[in-house]
Amino acid sequence: MFDFIIIIVSITGIAVIAVVPAWYKALKHLKPIYSLETVALLAFGYSWLIKGETFFKDEAK
């Protein structure tokens, strides 16, 4: 569930930065869209590997 929250926050951050031009100009040197996209992709990959039980066993419900 934690990985889902990270993905949603990253996508929301991309949308907010894209809508507010002043924030994008202020953060342009940090490459915010690329950075947040990378975080979302890593969270997705981590959740995929957990669900496929490559690293850890999935929690029993």
Side-chain angles (χ1 to χ4, degrees):
M1 184 67 181
F2 185 68
D3 50 348
F4 178 72
I5 294 170
I6 292 174
I7 293 170
I8 295 299
V9 168
S10 296
I11 293 172
T12 304
I14 291 170
V16 168
I17 288 172
V19 170
V20 182
W23 288 2
Y24 182 75
K25 286 181 184 177
L27 298 172
K28 189 176 183 179
H29 66 283
L30 297 175
K31 310 273 191 223
I33 294 175
Y34 177 73
S35 300
L36 290 171
E37 186 176 355
T38 301
V39 169
L41 185 61
L42 288 172
F44 176 75
Y46 177 76
S47 67
W48 189 326
L49 291 172
I50 296 298
K51 190 62 180 174
E53 296 182 355
T54 302
F55 288 148
F56 306 108
K57 295 280 186 188
D58 199 14
E59 294 179 1
K61 292 185 180 184

